[in-house]
Amino acid sequence: MASPQPSSPIPARGKLVIGALAFAGLTALGLVALIRWRPPSELDNILTRITPGFAIALLALLALDFMLGGLRYRLLLDGRVFSRVSLWHCMRANWANMLLGAITPAQTGGGAAQLYVLCRRGARLSEAILCSLLTFVATLLFFALGGLAALAFLPGEALSRGVLVALVVAVVAIAGLAGLLGLAVVAQRPTVRVIRRFLNAVSRRGTRVRRWAAAGRRLLSSEIERLAAGIRTVVARGKVTLVWVCAATALLYLNKYLMGYVLAAALQGPVDGSFIGLQLLQHIVLYFAPTPGASGVAEASTGLLMNRVLLAEVTVLWVVGWRLLTTFFGTILGVFVLLGEARRHVGDIRADQGGAVS
């Protein structure tokens, strides 16, 4: 029996508008605060430093970022471990993830959009869920190991004491979460029992929570055997693939930091070697930020974490360029992906209804 496809993850128009306004408004507020704190100056001179060579390098790194973002899923959705989904459609799923992540609180809508596109393009729902979970664990492992390395090797004066303590706590928490999720994947039956108890407990709450819990129970009952079979498949045929997924994840984020480094070098010239480590620590903060697309938090954290390595006059320009490269371009592409998939979905439903009537 074919795996059920999730319904379209696109929220109601009103929620989309509210999310987009929150994303844009918080981003603007963050930029205004950053401009007041570290005002830009001599913009003409700064912009002339961005030579064609720097622009080509940034575009090449952006293309690599898009490819690596899809490759993490393609390594599992290769037709051997799980069903086959092309690299192009895995990239499109990643763009859809970026779009709804940018306009939903704590980036919670991105996962549903990603599952939707992957299932529309040939993956079973259980396979898409496992791909998403395994890449999330790989991300947490990278943040935990990379964060520990950055904290160990950064010079003592790079961070204030308060920021340093907060980051140490965050990295330790992430390492613990990565371990728990890894154990949850391995320990299938205990994990299912815990999820069922949680869903039963929350189903006694408000009406909206009960609906979500009921949907979760239906998903669990319909997909649990496939999820278990998917885990057995990964253990049997995908252990080496998991290593490659972790490697692709590390390359994906290091490439993002390299984009930031190249952009900083284009704007201000020589850049301190600690720049990459500080970006990694900043990304840990942004990944778990409660605002849509980490809006506002991205701008504020730049002022707090990067003020020792970025010149005051280029800080705002760097933030704008860095957000364009790592968030805004992918978000714009995600608009076209989700609208296109939703249009095809509606067309498929109408075609099925027309066939049933005839």
Side-chain angles (χ1 to χ4, degrees):
M1 184 176 66
S3 176
Q5 289 193 0
S7 59
S8 172
I10 299 179
R13 184 178 300 177
K15 292 183 178 180
L16 281 175
V17 171
I18 292 172
L21 289 175
F23 177 65
L26 289 171
T27 298
L29 285 174
L31 286 173
V32 168
L34 192 59
I35 288 171
R36 290 180 63 85
W37 183 19
R38 296 172 68 81
S41 61
E42 301 178 353
L43 294 181
D44 292 340
N45 292 334
I46 293 172
L47 292 175
T48 56
R49 297 174 193 165
I50 304 180
T51 63
F54 275 120
I56 292 171
L58 287 170
L59 288 175
L61 291 172
L62 178 62
L64 181 60
D65 179 71
F66 288 157
M67 188 194 74
L68 289 170
L71 181 63
R72 296 198 301 163
Y73 308 107
R74 179 66 176 84
L75 288 167
L76 292 165
L77 295 166
D78 62 348
R80 184 181 64 89
V81 179
F82 294 145
S83 302
R84 187 182 185 280
V85 179
S86 70
L87 175 60
W88 170 245
H89 290 307
C90 289
M91 291 166 60
R92 295 174 70 250
N94 188 51
W95 292 331
N97 184 345
M98 294 175 72
L99 168 64
L100 284 196
I103 60 175
T104 53
Q107 307 176 62
T108 50
Q114 177 181 288
L115 298 181
Y116 174 67
V117 175
L118 290 177
C119 290
R120 288 280 302 161
R121 294 300 173 172
R124 290 179 177 272
L125 180 56
S126 56
E127 294 171 342
I129 291 171
L130 269 178
C131 284
S132 183
L133 176 60
L134 292 172
T135 53
F136 180 54
V137 172
T139 298
L140 293 180
L141 285 173
F142 170 76
F143 281 158
L145 296 176
L148 289 173
L151 291 171
F153 291 106
L154 281 174
E157 68 277 6
L159 297 168
S160 66
R161 182 175 179 80
V163 172
L164 180 62
V165 171
L167 287 172
V168 169
V169 172
V171 170
V172 171
I174 287 169
L177 181 59
L180 287 174
L181 285 174
L183 289 174
V185 172
V186 175
Q188 303 168 30
R189 292 183 179 179
T191 301
V192 172
R193 285 199 297 269
V194 170
I195 295 173
R196 280 187 172 137
R197 287 172 186 166
F198 172 75
L199 291 173
N200 288 334
V202 299
S203 65
R204 292 190 286 270
R205 306 283 175 154
T207 304
R208 179 174 296 183
V209 176
R210 283 202 301 272
R211 287 201 299 266
W212 280 102
R217 285 198 299 270
R218 287 196 299 272
L219 174 63
L220 193 66
S221 61
S222 65
E223 292 295 319
I224 189 59
E225 290 303 323
R226 294 191 182 94
L227 284 168
I231 293 172
R232 290 193 293 270
T233 299
V234 171
V235 172
R237 299 199 298 265
K239 291 190 287 290
V240 175
T241 301
L242 289 180
V243 175
W244 285 112
V245 169
C246 290
T249 298
L251 288 175
L252 170 68
Y253 288 106
L254 289 174
N255 183 69
K256 291 180 186 294
Y257 311 147
L258 183 57
M259 279 195 290
Y261 185 91
V262 171
L263 179 61
L267 292 172
Q268 72 177 37
V271 181
D272 189 84
S274 62
F275 197 89
I276 296 290
L278 288 171
Q279 282 189 99
L280 192 155
L281 295 174
Q282 182 188 26
H283 211 146
I284 290 174
V285 175
L286 300 186
Y287 196 82
F288 298 97
T291 58
S295 53
V297 180
E299 294 74 25
S301 62
T302 298
L304 289 171
L305 292 176
M306 314 296 283
N307 61 336
R308 289 180 172 85
V309 291
L310 274 177
L311 298 176
E313 58 266 27
V314 306
T315 299
V316 173
L317 286 177
W318 183 85
V319 169
V320 172
W322 171 65
R323 292 284 276 171
L324 279 171
L325 291 167
T326 59
T327 302
F328 297 150
F329 286 147
T331 297
I332 293 168
L333 290 171
V335 173
F336 296 102
V337 170
L338 267 190
L339 290 180
E341 289 295 345
R343 191 159 43 243
R344 293 187 191 94
H345 195 164
V346 171
D348 292 344
I349 292 174
R350 288 175 177 171
D352 291 343
Q353 290 174 344
V357 171
S358 62

